[in-house]
Amino acid sequence: MTPATAVEFLIWLLLAASAIALLAERLRIPYTVSLVFGGLLLGALRLPVLSPLQAGHRPDWLTPDVILIVFLPALVFEASVKIDVRSLIREFLPLFLLVTFGVLMASVATGDLVHWATGLPVLMALLFGSIISATDPISVLAIFKDLKTSARLSLLIEGESLLNDGTAVVLFQILLAGIVAGNLSIGRGAGHFFLAVLLGAALGSSLGYVASKITATVDDPQIEITLTTIVAYGSYLLAHHLHLSGVIATGAAGLMVGNLGVPKGMSPRTLAAMQSFWEYVSFVINSLVFLLIGLEVHMGALLHAWRPLLFAIAAVLVGRALSVYTLVPISNLFATRIPMRWQHVAVWGGLRGALALALALSLDSTLPYRNQILDMTFGVVVFSILVQGLTMKPFLRMLRIADGNA
């Protein structure tokens, strides 16, 4: 692949994303859902003019390195820098339960059901459960904004998604290391799990604090935006190098910058420039990711494996329901109550996205059952985006949560 080929491919993707965005706005279809549909259509068309988008001609950008190192830190930072940490602290208990025990519960339940239904070995099935356990409700949050749903509901969904990416990655790494070594220690794995999450949060918070103090001494939008970029990627890479949770580190850094650096160290001019920059970065990266998902999906392979795919989808939904309907009522005993209708939204709105694909694609080609795990992961991601994403608006209206209703 030459630089010219990569730039040409990027231009084609941006053209497609812009056209799909305009069409999605007119048809009032969630943008990310439209992108996946568009990617499927562009991948199926065999027109000569679209040859740069065809398999064999396009660069392979849907890889673990690109998603986890290039795309993910920017998306996590952009989401976290907008969140009010005081609101997040008020929802500490339900979020803590869902992003720790909820991820573990969903992974184990999903893995057990997949093992029982498909015959996949237990550890490999649990590995699939960890891959698919993190939620990615980008399109759901856009629908929330469009339908003017409760700000608290949006915070709960977005906060969980922001934090459970990190715990899912750590759990995946522990299980994969145990499978490769042939010896999985639950006690040691649990210790590593909580250590990677807590120390990752401490590292990210420290880097975010330092960056916030520096921005307070500078009044130059370009320099301050550059500092936020360094913090977003630097916290992720440093945590990754130290075998901590890079996602948690970047999220914590974003929260620190957004709640300390922004109000105390940024002028209105800098704040407007920074928000525009990160919103644009998020728009471009999300456009690329969801278009690439559509382009890379091989519908023939998914249809051929329809039986295990249906079992996998059912198992993921059951695992999600079990974690939400078990842990949220426990939270309700000690914290502000989360209504049952919101719990239904959390279950059905738990879409899966690029992180699951990155983890599945990162499996070594020599690992047994890799292709089966990859097929099930692609299938669940496509189902969640297209089916759950498209039905979310009528689902919210049916529950009478739309248009300002609680």
Side-chain angles (χ1 to χ4, degrees), residues 163-187:
L163 299 172
N164 69 14
D165 283 357
T167 54
V169 171
V170 174
L171 180 60
F172 166 80
Q173 292 170 338
I174 291 170
L175 287 169
L176 182 60
I179 290 171
V180 172
N183 179 25
L184 179 63
S185 170
I186 296 177

Side-chain angles (χ1 to χ4, degrees), residues 324-325 339-349 392 395 399:
V324 171
Y325 293 139
M340 180 58 72
R341 289 183 296 167
W342 290 15
Q343 296 176 47
H344 299 331
V345 173
V347 171
W348 193 245
M392 202 64 211
F395 186 64
L399 294 175

Side-chain angles (χ1 to χ4, degrees), residues 84-332:
D84 179 11
V85 74
R86 291 168 297 184
S87 300
L88 207 61
I89 291 172
R90 284 197 293 270
E91 307 298 342
F92 169 79
L93 184 58
L95 289 176
F96 172 77
L97 291 175
L98 288 171
V99 303
T100 53
F101 298 105
V103 170
L104 292 169
M105 188 180 295
S107 300
V108 171
T110 300
D112 282 345
L113 287 171
V114 167
H115 165 68
W116 172 80
T118 68
L120 197 67
V122 174
L123 283 181
M124 299 305 298
L126 290 175
L127 185 67
F128 168 72
S130 68
I131 287 171
I132 209 68
S133 60
T135 56
D136 184 17
I138 295 171
S139 56
V140 173
L141 291 170
I143 293 171
F144 283 178
K145 186 177 181 180
D146 186 41
L147 296 183
K148 301 177 183 177
T149 58
S150 165
R152 184 185 175 219
L153 175 58
S154 296
L155 175 70
L156 288 168
I157 299 294
E158 185 171 18
E160 184 198 358
S161 172
L162 176 67
L163 299 172
N164 69 14
D165 283 357
T167 54
V169 171
V170 174
L171 180 60
F172 166 80
Q173 292 170 338
I174 291 170
L175 287 169
L176 182 60
I179 290 171
V180 172
N183 179 25
L184 179 63
S185 170
I186 296 177
R188 186 170 58 191
H192 177 67
F193 177 85
F194 286 103
L195 196 65
V197 170
L198 294 175
L199 291 183
L203 174 65
S205 298
S206 301
L207 293 175
Y209 178 81
V210 171
S212 298
K213 289 298 183 182
I214 294 174
T215 57
T217 65
V218 180
D219 187 19
D220 186 306
Q222 284 73 33
I223 294 175
E224 293 181 70
I225 290 171
T226 302
L227 284 172
T228 62
T229 307
I230 293 170
V231 170
Y233 284 95
S235 57
Y236 186 94
L237 292 172
L238 182 57
H240 181 73
H241 178 72
L242 297 174
H243 304 290
L244 305 176
S245 173
V247 177
I248 294 294
T250 301
L255 287 172
M256 186 63 72
V257 170
N259 289 269
L260 179 63
V262 168
K264 294 188 177 181
M266 288 189 183
S267 65
R269 179 178 65 128
T270 300
L271 176 59
M274 187 199 73
Q275 288 176 336
S276 297
F277 170 79
W278 282 107
E279 285 174 3
Y280 176 70
V281 168
S282 176
F283 169 79
V284 170
I285 291 178
N286 278 315
S287 300
L288 297 180
V289 167
F290 286 97
L291 262 179
L292 288 170
I293 289 173
L295 285 171
E296 294 290 340
V297 167
H298 303 291
M299 292 303 297
L302 294 184
L303 293 173
H304 183 263
W306 67 271
R307 194 183 299 272
L309 179 55
L310 286 180
F311 285 134
I313 291 170
V316 169
L317 290 174
V318 170
R320 176 65 176 169
L322 184 65
S323 64
V324 171
Y325 293 139
T326 300
L327 296 174
V328 173
I330 294 175
S331 168
N332 284 346

Side-chain angles (χ1 to χ4, degrees), residues 354-402:
L355 178 62
L357 294 179
L359 295 180
L361 288 165
S362 71
L363 297 175
D364 191 270
S365 58
T366 61
L367 190 73
Y369 305 99
R370 178 186 185 270
N371 289 337
Q372 187 173 347
I373 290 176
L374 200 55
D375 286 343
M376 290 192 300
T377 304
F378 263 100
V380 170
V381 169
V382 171
F383 172 86
S384 71
I385 293 172
L386 298 187
V387 177
Q388 292 173 250
L390 276 177
T391 58
M392 202 64 211
K393 274 190 179 181
F395 186 64
L396 289 170
R397 289 195 170 105
M398 182 185 72
L399 294 175
R400 299 177 65 189
I401 295 177

Side-chain angles (χ1 to χ4, degrees), residues 55-100:
H57 298 275
R58 62 177 181 260
D60 186 12
W61 286 358
L62 199 63
T63 65
D65 287 341
V66 173
I67 294 175
L68 294 177
I69 304 299
V70 179
F71 290 167
L72 193 59
L75 294 177
V76 170
F77 186 84
E78 189 274 337
S80 61
V81 80
K82 299 183 301 184
I83 295 178
D84 179 11
V85 74
R86 291 168 297 184
S87 300
L88 207 61
I89 291 172
R90 284 197 293 270
E91 307 298 342
F92 169 79
L93 184 58
L95 289 176
F96 172 77
L97 291 175
L98 288 171
V99 303
T100 53

